[in-house]
Amino acid sequence: MSIDKTQSTWGRSRFGGSQATLILVSILGATALAQLLAWGIIALQPEQVTWWWVPVASLAFIPVLAATFWVVLVDRNTIKGATRNPESSIENHWYGKAAETTFHLMIAAMGLGAGAFAIFDWQVSPALLLTSVTVLAMLVFLVSYQVYKRKDA
């Protein structure tokens, strides 16, 4: 596979420009959105947070938002080594099978869990219950993905 001269490590924007422009726009957009999110959270709970919370929250939001901006703005064809058709890759097949297995196992687990809660009249906080269900789904997906990966290898 020959690499086109327009390809680079970080790629280029779908709307033109260099990779430096793409990175700069991603970081600036993430910083602005992080500030808005932090101020919005303060507006919802003004008595519980202080002014210094804005930069701290913004710094936590910026990396994730910058990556999100980059993913939305980058042209995949300009990235060195990018898979041409990722939807037809073996990893995508493993992902789909693991997601299907996770869905089926989670339906069964939630049904059995609902029955157990009804029979034994357990009282659990909704936050703890939803966190537990989320962690269980993540673990089931991780194990399923690894099983399908080993099975095809």
Side-chain angles (χ1 to χ4, degrees):
M1 175 177 152
S2 67
I3 296 178
D4 190 356
K5 292 182 192 248
T6 61
Q7 290 184 327
S8 63
T9 303
W10 293 100
R12 288 179 171 58
S13 172
R14 295 179 187 190
F15 310 108
S18 67
Q19 73 179 16
T21 304
L22 173 64
I23 293 169
L24 183 66
V25 168
S26 297
I27 292 172
L28 291 177
T31 304
L33 188 56
Q35 289 287 311
L36 286 173
L37 285 171
W39 281 108
I41 291 170
I42 281 186
L44 293 174
Q45 301 291 328
E47 67 279 350
Q48 294 181 4
V49 291
T50 58
W51 67 270
W52 59 266
W53 196 86
V54 172
V56 171
S58 295
L59 287 174
F61 290 137
I62 287 173
V64 173
L65 291 173
T68 303
F69 269 88
W70 179 82
V71 165
V72 168
L73 296 174
V74 74
D75 179 4
R76 285 184 92 290
N77 295 326
T78 63
I79 301 172
K80 280 184 196 173
T83 305
R84 284 221 185 267
N85 296 317
E87 64 277 356
S88 63
S89 69
I90 188 66
E91 291 84 2
N92 190 48
H93 175 72
W94 297 334
Y95 183 94
K97 296 294 284 178
E100 182 181 332
T101 300
T102 302
F103 175 75
H104 292 134
L105 290 176
M106 289 307 297
I107 292 293
M110 288 187 290
L112 291 171
F117 274 79
I119 291 170
F120 299 112
D121 196 30
W122 290 333
Q123 301 297 319
V124 178
S125 76
L128 179 62
L129 181 63
L130 291 173
T131 301
S132 301
V133 169
T134 302
V135 169
L136 177 62
M138 290 162 56
L139 289 172
V140 168
F141 182 85
L142 175 70
V143 170
S144 297
Y145 186 88
Q146 292 301 322
V147 166
Y148 287 115
K149 182 178 175 180
R150 300 235 189 281
K151 192 167 110 177
D152 284 346

